[in-house]
Amino acid sequence: MISNLKKAELPIEVNIDSYHDIRKQMEYLKDADKVNERIALKMTELNSFKNYSADKMYSFIDKTNMYLCFGNRGIFDQSDAKIKYYRPSLLGETVYQKKLHPIIPFIFAWAKSYENLIDLTLYLVTSNKRRDPNFSLMLELLICYSWFMEAMKISFEGLGKAKM
């Protein structure tokens, strides 16, 4: 009987409403760069993404227009010759600050394993299988995941204890 019960998860519409409500509450914050991290942390506390599949998380990202950050110029979109001399940590931070800061905190609020990261990355770089893969975006995401996990001291063993 118990095995037939579906895992409980919040509908996407409820999470989208929650996201917009929390964003409105945080409009007063002076540090705009940290707003997404704080919203993601609050949504983690509320278990907003509990039991979400990569497909559902992609839908949440799509419906909240977080994917718009992919249109920003990334490290592979510029003809900056200095990029090849960046330290790996500076490269990750550059990708985060210039392009992916709106989305990365939410990905880590949801992900519970490396498999989750890879599944969602594949959805993101193919726009849910509607396009050919964007390999430069995939590399930027992987670089940013690595930097963010190190900067925020995130491990999948203690993900809930990470300080954002």
Side-chain angles (χ1 to χ4, degrees):
M1 177 83 174
I2 293 176
S3 62
N4 293 335
L5 294 176
K6 185 179 176 186
K7 292 181 179 179
E9 61 185 40
L10 289 174
I12 292 173
E13 293 76 22
V14 172
N15 271 341
I16 292 170
D17 290 342
S18 176
Y19 165 78
H20 289 297
D21 290 344
I22 295 169
R23 181 164 286 291
K24 284 179 186 172
Q25 292 172 5
M26 296 200 176
E27 285 178 347
Y28 68 91
L29 294 175
K30 292 180 176 89
D31 191 5
D33 293 340
K34 298 289 183 186
V35 169
N36 289 320
E37 292 176 17
R38 290 181 179 165
I39 294 171
L41 184 60
K42 184 67 173 173
M43 291 185 83
T44 301
E45 291 170 2
L46 297 172
N47 287 325
S48 297
F49 304 119
K50 186 176 182 181
N51 298 324
Y52 265 29
S53 64
D55 182 46
K56 278 228 171 185
M57 190 61 189
Y58 175 82
S59 294
F60 173 80
I61 290 168
D62 186 44
K63 291 179 180 178
T64 54
N65 294 328
M66 283 187 216
Y67 67 89
L68 294 177
C69 69
F70 297 157
N72 297 341
R73 290 176 53 99
I75 58 171
F76 300 111
D77 300 328
Q78 48 192 327
S79 60
D80 185 359
K82 295 185 293 185
I83 220 90
K84 60 185 172 187
Y85 299 110
Y86 280 15
R87 292 186 327 265
S89 61
L90 180 60
L91 192 60
E93 185 177 8
T94 302
V95 172
Y96 181 76
Q97 294 298 330
K98 287 189 173 187
K99 188 168 187 172
L100 299 175
H101 69 278
I103 196 170
I104 294 295
F106 292 95
I107 291 173
F108 280 97
W110 164 76
K112 301 295 179 231
S113 68
Y114 293 110
E115 290 83 12
N116 290 151
L117 289 176
I118 298 303
D119 289 345
L120 185 60
T121 300
L122 292 173
Y123 274 98
L124 293 171
V125 300
T126 62
S127 296
N128 199 10
K129 302 173 190 165
R130 293 187 297 248
R131 278 192 283 171
D132 289 335
N134 180 343
F135 291 112
S136 63
L137 175 61
M138 183 170 58
L139 285 173
E140 288 173 333
L141 282 164
L142 295 175
I143 289 167
C144 199
Y145 293 161
S146 175
W147 173 81
F148 194 79
M149 288 181 76
E150 186 175 321
M152 297 298 179
K153 308 231 181 310
I154 294 174
S155 71
F156 286 115
E157 291 78 35
L159 190 60
K161 298 176 186 172
K163 295 180 182 178
M164 287 192 183

